[in-house]
mmCIF file of all heavy atoms in Angstrom:
data_model
loop_
_atom_site.group_PDB
_atom_site.id
_atom_site.type_symbol
_atom_site.label_atom_id
_atom_site.label_comp_id
_atom_site.label_asym_id
_atom_site.label_seq_id
_atom_site.Cartn_x
_atom_site.Cartn_y
_atom_site.Cartn_z
ATOM 1 N N GLY A 5 -3.539 57.874 68.535
ATOM 2 C CA GLY A 5 -2.244 57.282 68.248
ATOM 3 C C GLY A 5 -2.317 56.365 67.050
ATOM 4 O O GLY A 5 -3.196 56.507 66.189
ATOM 5 N N MET A 6 -1.383 55.424 66.979
ATOM 6 C CA MET A 6 -1.305 54.449 65.892
ATOM 7 C C MET A 6 -1.420 53.045 66.459
ATOM 8 O O MET A 6 -0.722 52.695 67.409
ATOM 9 C CB MET A 6 0.011 54.592 65.130
ATOM 10 C CG MET A 6 0.147 53.643 63.957
ATOM 11 S SD MET A 6 1.703 53.853 63.042
ATOM 12 C CE MET A 6 1.409 55.431 62.249
ATOM 13 N N PHE A 7 -2.299 52.250 65.847
ATOM 14 C CA PHE A 7 -2.632 50.937 66.391
ATOM 15 C C PHE A 7 -2.741 49.903 65.273
ATOM 16 O O PHE A 7 -3.168 50.224 64.157
ATOM 17 C CB PHE A 7 -3.974 50.996 67.135
ATOM 18 C CG PHE A 7 -4.066 52.117 68.120
ATOM 19 C CD1 PHE A 7 -4.589 53.347 67.739
ATOM 20 C CD2 PHE A 7 -3.597 51.960 69.420
ATOM 21 C CE1 PHE A 7 -4.651 54.408 68.643
ATOM 22 C CE2 PHE A 7 -3.652 53.009 70.326
ATOM 23 C CZ PHE A 7 -4.174 54.242 69.930
ATOM 24 N N ARG A 8 -2.402 48.675 65.591
ATOM 25 C CA ARG A 8 -2.679 47.591 64.661
ATOM 26 C C ARG A 8 -4.184 47.329 64.615
ATOM 27 O O ARG A 8 -4.901 47.579 65.582
ATOM 28 C CB ARG A 8 -1.934 46.322 65.070
ATOM 29 C CG ARG A 8 -0.431 46.409 64.820
ATOM 30 C CD ARG A 8 0.221 45.032 64.914
ATOM 31 N NE ARG A 8 1.627 45.100 64.543
ATOM 32 C CZ ARG A 8 2.626 45.260 65.400
ATOM 33 N NH1 ARG A 8 2.373 45.359 66.690
ATOM 34 N NH2 ARG A 8 3.870 45.318 64.975
ATOM 35 N N ILE A 9 -4.631 46.802 63.500
ATOM 36 C CA ILE A 9 -6.020 46.388 63.335
ATOM 37 C C ILE A 9 -6.089 44.887 63.581
ATOM 38 O O ILE A 9 -5.335 44.112 62.981
ATOM 39 C CB ILE A 9 -6.539 46.757 61.936
ATOM 40 C CG1 ILE A 9 -6.685 48.282 61.837
ATOM 41 C CG2 ILE A 9 -7.867 46.049 61.638
ATOM 42 C CD1 ILE A 9 -7.058 48.784 60.464
ATOM 43 N N GLY A 10 -6.971 44.482 64.477
ATOM 44 C CA GLY A 10 -7.062 43.098 64.883
ATOM 45 C C GLY A 10 -8.215 42.351 64.236
ATOM 46 O O GLY A 10 -8.599 42.611 63.090
ATOM 47 N N THR A 11 -8.798 41.449 64.985
ATOM 48 C CA THR A 11 -9.842 40.556 64.496
ATOM 49 C C THR A 11 -11.128 41.299 64.190
ATOM 50 O O THR A 11 -11.542 42.195 64.926
ATOM 51 C CB THR A 11 -10.114 39.481 65.557
ATOM 52 O OG1 THR A 11 -8.903 38.755 65.795
ATOM 53 C CG2 THR A 11 -11.199 38.511 65.110
ATOM 54 N N ALA A 12 -11.778 40.921 63.109
ATOM 55 C CA ALA A 12 -13.133 41.382 62.833
ATOM 56 C C ALA A 12 -14.114 40.514 63.625
ATOM 57 O O ALA A 12 -13.823 39.368 63.959
ATOM 58 C CB ALA A 12 -13.431 41.288 61.345
ATOM 59 N N PHE A 13 -15.271 41.079 63.920
ATOM 60 C CA PHE A 13 -16.267 40.330 64.687
ATOM 61 C C PHE A 13 -17.662 40.753 64.237
ATOM 62 O O PHE A 13 -17.837 41.762 63.542
ATOM 63 C CB PHE A 13 -16.105 40.579 66.192
ATOM 64 C CG PHE A 13 -16.243 42.024 66.599
ATOM 65 C CD1 PHE A 13 -17.490 42.601 66.793
ATOM 66 C CD2 PHE A 13 -15.122 42.816 66.785
ATOM 67 C CE1 PHE A 13 -17.625 43.931 67.156
ATOM 68 C CE2 PHE A 13 -15.234 44.147 67.147
ATOM 69 C CZ PHE A 13 -16.491 44.707 67.328
ATOM 70 N N GLY A 14 -18.652 39.975 64.648
ATOM 71 C CA GLY A 14 -20.016 40.336 64.303
ATOM 72 C C GLY A 14 -21.016 39.299 64.754
ATOM 73 O O GLY A 14 -20.676 38.317 65.402
ATOM 74 N N TYR A 15 -22.258 39.549 64.384
ATOM 75 C CA TYR A 15 -23.342 38.657 64.772
ATOM 76 C C TYR A 15 -23.514 37.497 63.793
ATOM 77 O O TYR A 15 -23.995 36.434 64.166
ATOM 78 C CB TYR A 15 -24.658 39.426 64.835
ATOM 79 C CG TYR A 15 -24.717 40.550 65.855
ATOM 80 C CD1 TYR A 15 -25.772 41.458 65.844
ATOM 81 C CD2 TYR A 15 -23.729 40.716 66.832
ATOM 82 C CE1 TYR A 15 -25.851 42.487 66.765
ATOM 83 C CE2 TYR A 15 -23.795 41.740 67.747
ATOM 84 C CZ TYR A 15 -24.862 42.634 67.709
ATOM 85 O OH TYR A 15 -24.928 43.659 68.622
ATOM 86 N N ALA A 16 -23.128 37.708 62.534
ATOM 87 C CA ALA A 16 -23.304 36.678 61.511
ATOM 88 C C ALA A 16 -22.242 35.589 61.657
ATOM 89 O O ALA A 16 -21.178 35.800 62.240
ATOM 90 C CB ALA A 16 -23.219 37.299 60.123
ATOM 91 N N ASP A 17 -22.535 34.423 61.080
ATOM 92 C CA ASP A 17 -21.565 33.327 61.105
ATOM 93 C C ASP A 17 -20.320 33.668 60.300
ATOM 94 O O ASP A 17 -19.224 33.193 60.607
ATOM 95 C CB ASP A 17 -22.196 32.042 60.555
ATOM 96 C CG ASP A 17 -23.245 31.463 61.487
ATOM 97 O OD1 ASP A 17 -23.210 31.770 62.696
ATOM 98 O OD2 ASP A 17 -24.121 30.716 61.000
ATOM 99 N N ASP A 18 -20.483 34.492 59.271
ATOM 100 C CA ASP A 18 -19.356 34.860 58.423
ATOM 101 C C ASP A 18 -19.656 36.208 57.784
ATOM 102 O O ASP A 18 -20.824 36.604 57.665
ATOM 103 C CB ASP A 18 -19.155 33.802 57.335
ATOM 104 C CG ASP A 18 -17.793 33.887 56.669
ATOM 105 O OD1 ASP A 18 -16.926 34.624 57.193
ATOM 106 O OD2 ASP A 18 -17.604 33.242 55.634
ATOM 107 N N VAL A 19 -18.610 36.929 57.383
ATOM 108 C CA VAL A 19 -18.772 38.189 56.668
ATOM 109 C C VAL A 19 -17.733 38.247 55.551
ATOM 110 O O VAL A 19 -16.767 37.483 55.540
ATOM 111 C CB VAL A 19 -18.603 39.420 57.595
ATOM 112 C CG1 VAL A 19 -19.662 39.450 58.667
ATOM 113 C CG2 VAL A 19 -17.211 39.464 58.202
ATOM 114 N N ALA A 20 -17.934 39.187 54.629
ATOM 115 C CA ALA A 20 -17.019 39.345 53.500
ATOM 116 C C ALA A 20 -15.809 40.160 53.934
ATOM 117 O O ALA A 20 -15.787 41.388 53.822
ATOM 118 C CB ALA A 20 -17.742 40.027 52.343
ATOM 119 N N THR A 21 -14.807 39.480 54.468
ATOM 120 C CA THR A 21 -13.570 40.136 54.871
ATOM 121 C C THR A 21 -12.428 39.126 54.845
ATOM 122 O O THR A 21 -12.646 37.933 55.082
ATOM 123 C CB THR A 21 -13.685 40.759 56.276
ATOM 124 O OG1 THR A 21 -12.496 41.502 56.563
ATOM 125 C CG2 THR A 21 -13.908 39.709 57.348
ATOM 126 N N ALA A 22 -11.226 39.638 54.563
ATOM 127 C CA ALA A 22 -10.031 38.801 54.635
ATOM 128 C C ALA A 22 -9.434 38.799 56.030
ATOM 129 O O ALA A 22 -8.549 37.989 56.327
ATOM 130 C CB ALA A 22 -8.991 39.290 53.624
ATOM 131 N N LEU A 23 -9.891 39.702 56.896
ATOM 132 C CA LEU A 23 -9.416 39.718 58.275
ATOM 133 C C LEU A 23 -9.845 38.436 58.985
ATOM 134 O O LEU A 23 -10.887 37.858 58.650
ATOM 135 C CB LEU A 23 -9.996 40.911 59.031
ATOM 136 C CG LEU A 23 -9.557 42.307 58.625
ATOM 137 C CD1 LEU A 23 -10.345 43.361 59.417
ATOM 138 C CD2 LEU A 23 -8.061 42.499 58.827
ATOM 139 N N PRO A 24 -9.092 37.994 59.979
ATOM 140 C CA PRO A 24 -9.614 36.912 60.823
ATOM 141 C C PRO A 24 -10.939 37.356 61.421
ATOM 142 O O PRO A 24 -11.075 38.521 61.825
ATOM 143 C CB PRO A 24 -8.530 36.724 61.884
ATOM 144 C CG PRO A 24 -7.702 37.972 61.833
ATOM 145 C CD PRO A 24 -7.784 38.495 60.443
ATOM 146 N N TYR A 25 -11.912 36.467 61.450
ATOM 147 C CA TYR A 25 -13.266 36.841 61.862
ATOM 148 C C TYR A 25 -13.760 35.930 62.974
ATOM 149 O O TYR A 25 -13.569 34.713 62.922
ATOM 150 C CB TYR A 25 -14.233 36.768 60.681
ATOM 151 C CG TYR A 25 -15.667 37.058 61.040
ATOM 152 C CD1 TYR A 25 -16.089 38.364 61.254
ATOM 153 C CD2 TYR A 25 -16.592 36.025 61.187
ATOM 154 C CE1 TYR A 25 -17.406 38.638 61.603
ATOM 155 C CE2 TYR A 25 -17.907 36.291 61.529
ATOM 156 C CZ TYR A 25 -18.318 37.604 61.741
ATOM 157 O OH TYR A 25 -19.617 37.871 62.102
ATOM 158 N N ALA A 26 -14.381 36.537 63.982
ATOM 159 C CA ALA A 26 -14.958 35.790 65.100
ATOM 160 C C ALA A 26 -16.455 36.089 65.175
ATOM 161 O O ALA A 26 -16.848 37.252 65.361
ATOM 162 C CB ALA A 26 -14.277 36.179 66.407
ATOM 163 N N ALA A 27 -17.271 35.059 65.004
ATOM 164 C CA ALA A 27 -18.717 35.202 65.164
ATOM 165 C C ALA A 27 -19.037 35.201 66.659
ATOM 166 O O ALA A 27 -18.672 34.271 67.379
ATOM 167 C CB ALA A 27 -19.439 34.064 64.459
ATOM 168 N N MET A 28 -19.702 36.250 67.114
ATOM 169 C CA MET A 28 -19.985 36.401 68.530
ATOM 170 C C MET A 28 -21.242 35.621 68.930
ATOM 171 O O MET A 28 -22.188 35.493 68.157
ATOM 172 C CB MET A 28 -20.165 37.876 68.880
ATOM 173 C CG MET A 28 -18.924 38.735 68.668
ATOM 174 S SD MET A 28 -17.582 38.395 69.857
ATOM 175 C CE MET A 28 -16.504 37.313 68.898
ATOM 176 N N SER A 29 -21.221 35.113 70.161
ATOM 177 C CA SER A 29 -22.373 34.397 70.710
ATOM 178 C C SER A 29 -22.863 35.108 71.963
ATOM 179 O O SER A 29 -22.223 36.057 72.446
ATOM 180 C CB SER A 29 -21.985 32.956 71.047
ATOM 181 O OG SER A 29 -21.102 32.938 72.162
ATOM 182 N N ALA A 30 -23.965 34.656 72.494
ATOM 183 C CA ALA A 30 -24.553 35.292 73.679
ATOM 184 C C ALA A 30 -23.642 35.228 74.889
ATOM 185 O O ALA A 30 -23.774 36.029 75.819
ATOM 186 C CB ALA A 30 -25.891 34.630 74.006
ATOM 187 N N SER A 31 -22.684 34.323 74.892
ATOM 188 C CA SER A 31 -21.799 34.163 76.053
ATOM 189 C C SER A 31 -20.461 34.884 75.892
ATOM 190 O O SER A 31 -19.600 34.777 76.760
ATOM 191 C CB SER A 31 -21.555 32.672 76.329
ATOM 192 O OG SER A 31 -21.034 32.030 75.201
#
C-alpha cells in the first residue's frame, strides 16, 4: 500500500538525515 515515512533510527548518536532521528538504546 501507501504509507507515510516516519522517524529514522539507529545505533549511532546521530546520522546524516533531515528526518527526525532517534538514537536507540539497550532499553
Side-chain angles (χ1 to χ4, degrees):
M6 182 179 289
F7 310 92
R8 288 194 174 94
I9 290 174
T11 301
F13 59 82
Y15 298 169
D17 290 338
D18 196 11
V19 297
T21 186
L23 293 175
Y25 176 77
M28 296 290 99
S29 70
S31 56

